[in-house]
Amino acid sequence: MAKTTHGRRKPWVKNLYSNREYPDNYTDVSFLKDLQTNLHVRLYTFGEAVAGSTVLNNQISCITGFLILYHMMLSDSVGPTSILVPSCIITGLGYLYYRGSSLSMKLLGEDSKTLVTVLLFGYIFSPMLHTLTQAISTDTIYTTTFFVMLFNLMFSDYGLSVAMVSKAISLNAAIFGAICLASRLSTSYHAFVLLVEAAIFFVLYPIITAATWHALCMVPIFCICCTALYHISRPVLCLYACSTLFINFVCPLIFVRQQRYKFNIHGPWDEAIVEENTDKNLDENL
């Protein structure tokens, strides 16, 4: 009887200092009772995946549209004023649509002051910006522009809360690319118009699309870019069209089919998540 009592061990518990009678590598059968698989996993439909991919294609089309305008001014096929005036009208209409019922005279006055200041300083400094990178070779300018526009794509905000998103890096990369391209144009006025277009495409346009974007908006944007590229370069048109279709339809199809292989496990080994005490969760805990 004494031997049986001596050989009996305490039940195993999930407490490191209470299991001295067990080996270090001992695993109790109750250890995995709290195992959970695919916790909080959401499965997306093909339509949702396609709609999400249009956000990336919108940014690609934004860069493509800006480069199309640059090519038009570089080849003198369209005058800078013919580009600036319609852009200002469309931007004004977009501003009214974005502000909507919240628009007031006070808000309009503040935004007008900001607009006039930016345009004035841009026009004053456009001769300097036009000659800033003029001594650098054209091949180097185009290579640099390619990489900074790639940085703009990589660091743009696509609606995901990830550490890689940086609006500052994305915007600065695009503006730097515009300054590089401005030196290839014929006059400082051309450079000024290109910088205004860069502000419209990479500052104002993302603000409006972030608030009002719909997947169907990609259709007219795609058609406009394809029409413009058709008159500029057929190989570039094929590259743009194939890339857009691949990102918009092939990538979502692969993503949806690969969802079945998702397998996440959660259990006692997960690290503890310490929530910061705020007024809201403090009241709930009390």
Side-chain angles (χ1 to χ4, degrees), residues 42-88:
R42 179 187 172 187
L43 298 179
Y44 293 88
T45 63
F46 179 71
E48 291 175 334
V50 170
S53 64
T54 57
V55 180
L56 173 60
N57 268 327
N58 174 55
Q59 188 65 22
I60 296 175
S61 299
C62 178
I63 297 175
T64 303
F66 174 75
L67 295 178
I68 289 172
L69 294 182
Y70 164 74
H71 181 271
M72 288 180 175
M73 287 190 288
L74 182 67
S75 60
D76 288 329
S77 58
V78 179
T81 305
S82 301
I83 294 177
L84 181 62
V85 174
S87 298
C88 292

Side-chain angles (χ1 to χ4, degrees), residues 9-284:
R9 294 188 295 185
K10 296 180 181 179
W12 183 88
V13 293
K14 284 192 293 184
N15 189 336
L16 179 62
Y17 303 102
S18 300
N19 301 314
R20 297 180 181 178
E21 302 176 0
Y22 292 87
D24 293 338
N25 60 348
Y26 176 79
T27 302
D28 193 76
V29 293
S30 63
F31 182 74
L32 296 179
K33 68 177 182 179
D34 297 327
L35 176 66
Q36 293 177 309
T37 59
N38 293 340
L39 188 64
H40 307 304
V41 171
R42 179 187 172 187
L43 298 179
Y44 293 88
T45 63
F46 179 71
E48 291 175 334
V50 170
S53 64
T54 57
V55 180
L56 173 60
N57 268 327
N58 174 55
Q59 188 65 22
I60 296 175
S61 299
C62 178
I63 297 175
T64 303
F66 174 75
L67 295 178
I68 289 172
L69 294 182
Y70 164 74
H71 181 271
M72 288 180 175
M73 287 190 288
L74 182 67
S75 60
D76 288 329
S77 58
V78 179
T81 305
S82 301
I83 294 177
L84 181 62
V85 174
S87 298
C88 292
I89 294 174
I90 295 174
T91 303
L93 296 175
Y95 170 79
L96 295 176
Y97 176 76
Y98 175 73
R99 289 299 185 186
S101 58
S102 63
L103 183 63
S104 62
M105 292 303 298
K106 181 180 179 180
L107 186 61
L108 182 61
E110 294 177 355
D111 293 339
S112 299
K113 290 179 182 179
T114 304
L115 176 63
V116 171
T117 303
V118 171
L119 290 177
L120 181 61
F121 277 93
Y123 188 77
I124 293 174
F125 289 105
S126 59
M128 181 189 69
L129 297 176
H130 178 239
T131 58
L132 188 62
T133 57
Q134 205 165 28
I136 304 175
S137 66
T138 302
D139 292 340
T140 305
I141 289 294
Y142 287 162
T143 303
T144 305
T145 303
F146 170 79
F147 282 108
V148 295
M149 290 303 177
L150 186 62
F151 287 158
N152 175 267
L153 273 179
M154 292 170 56
F155 294 99
S156 291
D157 185 8
Y158 299 111
L160 301 175
S161 300
V162 293
M164 190 174 181
V165 173
S166 176
K167 294 181 180 180
I169 296 178
S170 177
L171 176 59
N172 289 332
I175 297 301
F176 179 73
I179 294 174
C180 290
L181 293 176
S183 63
R184 306 298 103 174
L185 299 176
S186 56
T187 65
S188 59
Y189 180 61
H190 285 74
F192 167 71
V193 173
L194 186 68
L195 294 177
V196 171
E197 296 300 324
I200 293 174
F201 275 82
F202 301 112
V203 179
L204 302 179
Y205 179 70
I207 296 175
I208 296 178
T209 54
T212 61
W213 178 253
H214 191 277
L216 292 178
C217 296
M218 192 61 217
V219 177
I221 294 174
F222 177 75
C223 294
I224 292 173
C225 289
C226 287
T227 303
L229 290 174
Y230 179 80
H231 299 284
I232 296 175
S233 174
R234 304 291 173 82
V236 177
L237 169 62
C238 294
L239 177 62
Y240 169 76
C242 292
S243 301
T244 302
L245 294 176
F246 178 79
I247 295 174
N248 241 45
F249 298 103
V250 179
C251 289
L253 181 61
I254 297 174
F255 173 76
V256 170
R257 289 190 173 182
Q258 294 298 316
Q259 287 186 110
R260 72 181 100 174
Y261 301 111
K262 286 184 178 181
F263 186 74
N264 299 327
I265 57 174
H266 303 268
W269 52 83
D270 290 345
E271 294 182 2
I273 300 176
V274 180
E275 295 183 359
E276 183 180 358
N277 286 333
T278 60
D279 294 338
K280 182 179 180 180
N281 61 27
L282 209 60
D283 294 337
E284 291 177 354

